[in-house]
Each structure stands twice: as structure tokens, then as C-alpha cells.
Amino acid sequence: MKKSSMLTWLLAAVFMLTSFATFAKEFKGVITYKVTIEGADVTDEMKAYLPKSMTMTIKGNKSRTELIMSMMKTVSIADGDNKTAITLMDMMGQKFAIQSNYEEIMKEMGEAPEAKVEVTGETKEIAGYVCKKAIITIAENDQELIVYFTDELGSSELNFDNPMYKDINGVMLEFEMPNESFSMKFEATSVEKKNVDDSEFTIPEGYQVKTQEELKGMFGG
């Protein structure tokens, strides 16, 4: 896969990651995930470029998801109360912020392929939590994705803007983001309860605010 195509897919994945998990209002803290790359076409160069870990910081119905790659850092912020999202991107010092309101998010959701959720009776312990297994079927290509989630940390309120996982009623502690030639698998390694400052969920100084269309145009996508 060419680097430009991989970057375009990563940008799309970042927007989808904006709100893949939900949390109870009582939960404050950080979840750390191990990231592994799977697929027949995966090369050592791709592994070096793609992230090896992810963190999610939570305060009530707000979440901040952070991925660090070799040349880019991305942060996805979701507000489950106001139904808004922010994506921050730092590409070798070029810093951009993309804000999405409810109407914009719903428009994108309506254009996404239909996803059906089937919760099975299987469970698996991840990071100290017993997680339920769910099978996500993407109607467009009949693709199946496996998810493990727990409702001990929250409900589906913050999943409102994720077309694949919006019907998952809990926090996903193991899931994957697919691509035509490979997928990134995320598995939680720790859940730490701690206080979180409100500044974690705002746009820092030094970021240029762009629309999604403007950013995609900058990268030929």
C-alpha cells in the first residue's frame, strides 16, 4: 500500500475513532490499549509507521483518544452530552483541528454502510473486566468484526457518531479497525481510575481549525 493511500485511510479511521467507546458518568480515568497490525500485506515499514499503543482519557461523557505514529499524532475528542466531536492532528509540527456538530455527524452516519450487532453468550476477561462478545456484520460487503465490551464502565451514549459501533452498549476493550489490506486490532491492557482536567477536552493553542473537506483536500482524499 502506498504511503498516501495509507495516510488517507488513517485519517478516515481517526474520524471513526472519535467515539468508539462510552462511559458511565461516574468513571474518570485512562484506558491504555495495545495496538497490533494484522494482514497478509503488512510489511515491516508499515509496522514502523503505524501506532503500537493508544490511550483514552475519560471524564463523564467526554472522551479523548490519542494515537501516536512515526510522523503524526492524532487526538479524537467526543462529547456525548452535546453530541459534538473534535479531531486534533499534529503532523511534524503542522497542527490542525476539525470540529463536527451533530448535524454534520448524522449526515456522515447516514452515508455509512449499515452495521448489524449480534451479542453472543461468550465472554472474555480483559484488563480485569468480564467482557461480552459481539459480532458486527457490515451489510455492504458482508464483513464480520469481533468486539469485546463491558457495560461496567458505561453505556452506548458516546457511540452516537461511530457507524460501525454505535449500537455497542458499553465500553469496547477489544476491537478492530479494518482496511482493504490490513486491520489495526486494539486490546486494553489497563484501566486506571484518576481525576481528569476539563482542558483535556478542548482545542489547545497553536491549532488551525479546518473542515473535514479542507483537510481531505490537503491530502488528495
Side-chain angles (χ1 to χ4, degrees):
M1 176 182 286
K2 294 182 179 179
K3 284 188 176 180
S4 59
S5 299
M6 183 167 64
L7 180 57
T8 299
W9 175 81
L10 283 170
L11 293 177
V14 166
F15 286 115
M16 297 184 71
L17 277 170
T18 300
S19 174
F20 75 78
T22 63
F23 302 86
K25 289 185 176 180
E26 293 77 15
F27 182 80
K28 299 177 185 178
V30 177
I31 300 178
T32 301
Y33 294 80
K34 175 181 67 175
V35 182
T36 54
I37 312 302
E38 300 178 343
D41 298 327
V42 175
T43 65
D44 290 339
E45 182 182 8
M46 291 168 62
K47 288 181 179 180
Y49 181 84
L50 294 168
K52 297 177 176 59
S53 65
M54 180 179 77
T55 59
M56 175 171 285
T57 303
I58 306 304
K59 185 173 185 179
N61 285 329
K62 295 180 180 180
S63 65
R64 173 192 172 97
T65 305
E66 184 171 313
L67 280 166
I68 299 178
M69 289 162 271
S70 63
M71 300 175 63
M72 178 171 62
K73 172 184 175 181
T74 63
V75 175
S76 299
I77 298 170
D79 188 329
D81 294 323
N82 295 322
K83 300 297 187 290
T84 58
I86 299 170
T87 300
L88 305 175
M89 306 186 67
D90 183 346
M91 293 175 285
M92 301 180 67
Q94 297 186 72
K95 299 181 179 182
F96 305 102
I98 303 93
Q99 296 176 299
S100 301
N101 59 33
Y102 180 76
E103 290 74 19
E104 292 169 333
I105 293 169
M106 289 301 101
K107 182 178 182 297
E108 287 195 7
M109 292 280 286
E111 297 171 351
E114 181 183 358
K116 180 182 178 181
V117 177
E118 176 190 355
V119 180
T120 72
E122 297 180 50
T123 61
K124 179 179 180 180
E125 184 173 334
I126 303 173
Y129 291 85
V130 176
C131 298
K132 301 174 185 178
K133 179 181 178 180
I135 301 173
I136 314 296
T137 303
I138 310 299
E140 185 177 68
N141 53 14
D142 206 31
Q143 182 180 30
E144 288 190 351
L145 305 174
I146 304 300
V147 170
Y148 287 93
F149 69 97
T150 174
D151 55 12
E152 292 184 52
L153 298 176
S155 65
S156 61
E157 188 170 350
L158 289 186
N159 284 337
F160 78 97
D161 68 341
N162 192 308
M164 287 195 299
Y165 301 127
K166 61 182 175 62
D167 294 322
I168 294 293
N169 190 29
V171 182
M172 295 191 296
L173 295 187
E174 184 175 310
F175 71 104
E176 57 185 310
M177 294 295 294
N179 175 270
E180 67 272 8
S181 57
F182 68 93
S183 69
M184 289 194 296
K185 182 178 179 180
F186 300 80
E187 183 177 0
T189 56
S190 67
V191 178
E192 179 187 6
K193 295 181 180 180
K194 60 185 294 187
N195 289 327
V196 176
D197 193 87
D198 289 335
S199 63
E200 295 286 338
F201 310 101
T202 60
I203 298 176
E205 292 185 4
Y207 279 78
Q208 302 178 50
V209 178
K210 300 284 186 180
T211 65
Q212 290 192 27
E213 289 71 23
E214 288 173 335
L215 190 63
K216 290 175 183 177
M218 292 174 63
F219 295 98

